[in-house]
Amino acid sequence: QWMWKFQHATGQREINELHIPVGSRIKLTMTTEDVIHSLYVPAFRVKADVVPGRYTQLWFEPTKAGRYYLFCTEYCGTNHSGMGGYVEVMEPTAYQQWLSGGGTESAAAQGAKVFQERGCASCHQADRQGRGPMLQGLFGEKQPLQDGTVVTVDETYIRESIVNPQAKVVAGFQPIMPTYQGQLSEEQILQLIAYIRSLGTGTEDGAIGTATGATGSTTTTGGVAPDAQRSNPVGPTTPRGGGEPVNTAPGTTGTRPGGAAQGAGGGTMAQPQRSPQQQ
């Protein structure tokens, strides 16, 4: 069975549902561990591919509370047609109540554990005495490299530095960091990114959450992006496969796709995945 997995920055994890607050700009950072997928929310008029080995991002702003369908629109295997779910757009107060019911560690806290367990702290020290760059206040800043170029420290750069550390070596440091390709899951990498971001940021964006899903993963953060799309949901699109009627937004109805799980919320990171029987 294919699915979308979501994890919020506050730690909540869901499958095939995404809870988000109405009126907030949402950023999805997505990846997949097997084949290409494509996340599509018809009512929001937004769609983006989810590609193995890299992050893709998508911004949108829901303007009307309700329940809306999401789909994978890139043929991805036998159960592609069942890879659907819902976006639950909630009033801010209701969304905060939903978040408070999680009772789980934040993604940053989980990332801090991975950071310690993998020995990252031995090189990346807060006093700048380690063999690697200090990470405090690094996210969002410009980082000079050995080859004379400069990069912005964002999710994509951090992920590349973890799985292919020789690709962009920071000026003043030796290329001694080992690769963690195949040693960390995409979920753990996203948790490490959340932890590094929590150490301080040079940007004004605030993370709402992270999530991982079936064969891809996405993260979402709150904040204002110049190119953010303002979504104005209308009636939901009827999903593939038919099914029983389901309420979506005030005054609208749709159909529930057969076998689709319900879950995940706004400000999350999502990743689609196969079940163990299909791997």
Side-chain angles (χ1 to χ4, degrees):
Q1 177 180 349
W2 297 92
M3 68 189 77
W4 294 95
K5 291 175 61 182
F6 299 89
Q7 182 182 1
H8 295 253
T10 46
Q12 289 83 352
R13 301 185 186 192
E14 309 173 274
I15 295 176
N16 293 341
E17 286 194 8
L18 176 63
H19 289 79
I20 54 177
V22 67
S24 295
R25 293 185 178 183
I26 305 299
K27 176 186 175 185
L28 303 180
T29 300
M30 307 179 287
T31 191
T32 171
E33 293 185 344
D34 46 30
V35 300
I36 297 175
H37 299 268
S38 190
L39 182 69
Y40 177 43
V41 185
F44 296 172
R45 313 295 195 265
V46 293
K47 176 180 176 293
D49 287 345
V50 184
V51 183
R54 59 175 293 186
Y55 289 153
T56 55
Q57 297 179 334
L58 177 67
W59 287 89
F60 61 89
E61 179 183 353
T63 60
K64 184 178 181 180
R67 188 171 173 83
Y68 305 95
Y69 292 112
L70 64 85
F71 302 100
C72 175
T73 58
E74 183 76 28
Y75 181 71
C76 54
T78 304
N79 290 331
H80 164 69
S81 62
M83 194 171 168
Y86 301 92
V87 178
E88 188 79 34
V89 181
M90 310 174 73
E91 295 296 338
T93 301
Y95 176 70
Q96 290 302 320
Q97 291 176 344
W98 179 84
L99 284 179
S100 65
T104 56
E105 284 187 313
S106 69
Q110 294 172 46
K113 289 183 177 180
V114 176
F115 191 82
Q116 294 296 329
E117 291 169 356
R118 294 290 178 165
C120 307
S122 63
C123 290
H124 298 282
Q125 299 177 9
D127 60 4
R128 300 180 186 273
Q129 299 303 307
R131 293 178 293 175
M134 184 185 75
L135 303 179
Q136 280 72 10
L138 187 62
F139 194 92
E141 295 294 329
K142 300 293 184 181
Q143 182 75 281
L145 303 179
Q146 276 191 357
D147 62 4
T149 61
V150 176
V151 298
T152 299
V153 180
D154 58 10
E155 294 92 345
T156 298
Y157 169 73
I158 295 174
R159 183 186 186 280
E160 183 181 38
S161 297
I162 292 171
V163 301
N164 186 16
Q166 312 305 317
K168 295 182 176 67
V169 180
V170 175
F173 293 90
Q174 296 300 312
I176 60 175
M177 179 173 168
T179 177
Y180 286 88
Q181 179 78 51
Q183 300 182 47
L184 296 174
S185 67
E186 288 293 345
E187 186 172 1
Q188 288 175 311
I189 292 174
L190 289 165
Q191 289 167 353
L192 282 171
I193 292 172
Y195 170 64
I196 293 171
R197 185 167 188 155
S198 75
L199 297 177
T201 173
T203 68
E204 296 180 356
D205 289 354
I208 292 180
T210 61
T212 56
T215 47
S217 72
T218 70
T219 61
T220 67
T221 61
V224 177
D227 58 347
Q229 301 181 51
R230 189 171 180 82
S231 302
N232 187 18
V234 291
T237 301
T238 301
R240 295 184 294 266
E244 62 186 270
V246 56
N247 291 330
T248 54
T252 66
T253 59
T255 55
R256 186 191 307 276
Q262 304 178 15
T268 65
M269 173 165 48
Q271 177 186 355
Q273 292 179 336
R274 283 192 178 112
S275 65
Q277 293 86 349
Q278 290 179 315
Q279 292 179 346

